[in-house]
């Protein structure tokens, strides 16, 4: 036995032609895609828009359907998208470009695809998808490739420079007795000292560009941060800023190479001090350091109210040799990235120009 409702439903389905049922099914699929879809007919009128696209535009579909592109652009709610939409329209129509990559004000990456031509019977289909996760994976892989290349270059440089320096050092030592007879032993001493200094610089460069495997010990996160703050407080005061440490999660421990992680945190605090020094006089500088326990990970957050960074700087921040400082080497953050990665963690940066920066170091807890 079937209910009256089921009978009515079967009658309705039976009354619908197969084409109509198929169309309803396909339309339902389009409605529930995670990509935004817009379809303009040959007259340029919006004939279909799915739920996801309406959410992205933050407008009800009823206010968009049936309008042409110019009418849509004149909606006040879409004023912030106007320039981007016009640029996409120009590139599509005049340059036959079908794929467009956009970055919104929150740093998310969007891929827009335009489909038109004979297969669309004069219609234009626009689809928009959030590809931020794919971009992050791509950027991580690219970063790893660059760091591996940096390690190989460093090893090659160290080998090529150290060999002649060793030979020079040996010959100076052979000549030293003759220089002593001439009363010029000081020359030999200075040359040997400078050669040793050059060797030390090469060693530091090689060690920093290709950090050794971490020698881990279990330490208190808060104890480590207190020690780092103590080391940097006096320099911070000289640069006109205060360091505020939120002493919570006292018992939390991580298994780390203390020397390496201390190097990372010191580097980030010094970067924060430089960012604050560049806006001295505008406002009082402050560096806030706090920890957040989330599942089996701890986030060490270092936040400043300094100059901040634009998107172009952020996108290259961990590139080897990229620096915005006159006397910088561009290795500090690249090395920090690899150290944290070797510890099974990661670094996240959030910054806006003129509004400060937050570095978040994530490490697994013991």
């Amino acid at each position: 036995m079937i209910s009256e409702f089921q009978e009515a439903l079967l009658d309705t389905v039976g009354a619908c032609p197969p084409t109509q049922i198929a169309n309803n099914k396909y339309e339902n699929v389009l409605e529930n895609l995670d990509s935004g879809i817009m379809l303009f007919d040959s007259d340029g009128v919006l004939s279909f828009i799915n739920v996801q696209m309406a959410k992205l535009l933050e407008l009800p579909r009823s206010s968009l359907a049936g309008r042409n592109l110019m009418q849509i652009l004149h909606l006040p709610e879409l004023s912030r998208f106007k320039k981007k939409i016009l640029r996409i329209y120009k590139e599509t129509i005049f340059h036959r470009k079908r794929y467009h990559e956009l970055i919104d004000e929150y740093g998310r990456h969007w891929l827009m695809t335009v489909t038109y031509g004979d297969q669309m019977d004069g219609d234009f289909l626009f689809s928009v998808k959030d590809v931020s996760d794919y971009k992050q994976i791509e950027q991580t892989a690219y970063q790893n490739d660059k760091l591996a290349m940096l390690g190989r270059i460093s090893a090659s440089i160290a080998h090529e420079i150290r060999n002649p320096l060793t030979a020079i050092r040996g010959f100076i030592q052979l000549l030293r007795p003759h220089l002593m007879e001439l009363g010029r032993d000081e020359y030999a001493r200075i040359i040997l000292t400078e050669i040793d200094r050059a060797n030390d610089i090469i060693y530091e460069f090689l060690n920093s560009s290709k950090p050794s495997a971490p020698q881990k010990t279990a330490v208190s996160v808060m104890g480590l941060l207190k020690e780092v703050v103590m080391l940097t407080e006096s320099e911070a005061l000289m640069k006109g800023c205060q360091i505020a440490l939120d002493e919570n999660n006292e018992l939390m421990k991580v298994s780390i190479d203390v020397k390496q992680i201390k190097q990372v945190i010191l580097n980030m605090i010094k970067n924060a001090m430089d960012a604050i020094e560049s806006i001295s006089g505008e406002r009082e500088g402050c560096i806030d350091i706090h920890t957040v326990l989330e599942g089996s990970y701890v986030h060490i957050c270092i936040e400043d109210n300094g100059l901040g960074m634009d998107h172009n700087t952020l996108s290259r921040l961990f590139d080897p040799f990229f620096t915005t400082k006159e006397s910088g080497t561009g290795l500090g953050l690249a090395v920090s990235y690899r150290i944290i990665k070797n510890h099974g963690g990661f670094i996240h940066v959030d910054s806006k120009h003129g509004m400060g920066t937050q570095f978040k170091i994530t490490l697994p807890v013991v």
Side-chain angles (χ1 to χ4, degrees), residues 170-190:
F171 282 113
I172 291 298
Q173 286 177 320
L174 289 174
L175 290 171
R176 191 167 191 177
H178 302 288
L179 291 172
M180 289 176 67
E181 289 177 9
L182 297 170
R184 294 291 185 265
D185 183 53
E186 184 67 12
Y187 291 174
R189 190 190 65 78
I190 291 171

Side-chain angles (χ1 to χ4, degrees), residues 34-36 52 56 84 87 100-113 127-140 311-312 314-316 348-349:
D34 61 349
S35 300
Q52 182 65 17
L56 294 176
K84 290 179 180 176
R87 179 172 64 82
H100 309 266
E101 287 194 16
L102 304 173
I103 301 173
D104 64 18
E105 62 268 30
Y106 305 108
R108 292 176 302 181
H109 291 258
W110 300 90
L111 176 65
M112 173 171 274
T113 306
S127 64
V128 180
K129 185 174 180 63
D130 185 353
V131 293
S132 302
D133 291 340
Y134 303 108
K135 282 288 179 183
Q136 183 64 42
I137 294 168
E138 181 184 281
Q139 189 176 3
T140 301
H311 178 74
N312 290 333
L314 269 177
S315 64
R316 299 188 60 193
H348 176 75
V349 189

Side-chain angles (χ1 to χ4, degrees), residues 206-248:
L206 181 61
N207 191 51
S208 64
S209 60
K210 191 176 181 181
S212 55
Q215 305 298 312
K216 295 182 179 180
T217 53
V219 297
S220 162
V221 176
M222 196 50 58
L224 177 68
L225 292 176
K226 285 178 181 177
E227 189 175 335
V228 173
V229 169
M230 196 180 299
L231 290 170
T232 54
E233 265 182 330
S234 57
E235 186 179 350
L237 289 172
M238 288 173 62
K239 292 189 174 182
C241 63
Q242 298 281 341
I243 298 179
L245 175 61
D246 184 4
E247 298 184 21
N248 59 354

Side-chain angles (χ1 to χ4, degrees), residues 267-268 271 317-318 330-338 347 359:
N267 184 40
M268 291 182 180
N271 285 344
L317 198 59
F318 296 103
L331 285 172
L333 287 175
V335 173
S336 298
Y337 179 92
R338 172 165 284 193
I347 301 175
F359 278 90

Side-chain angles (χ1 to χ4, degrees), residues 264-280:
V264 172
I265 298 171
L266 279 169
N267 184 40
M268 291 182 180
I269 292 177
K270 286 182 177 179
N271 285 344
M273 288 191 286
D274 291 340
I276 287 171
E277 190 178 26
S278 61
I279 54 112
S280 58

Side-chain angles (χ1 to χ4, degrees), residues 13-24:
V13 172
C16 293
T19 307
Q20 181 63 43
I21 295 172
N23 287 342
N24 290 342

Side-chain angles (χ1 to χ4, degrees), residues 43 47 53 70 124 169 238 244 311 320 322 346 355 366:
D43 296 322
S47 57
M53 182 64 87
M70 293 309 296
F124 283 79
R169 196 180 199 286
M238 288 173 62
H311 178 74
F322 173 75
F346 48 91
M355 298 179 64
V366 175

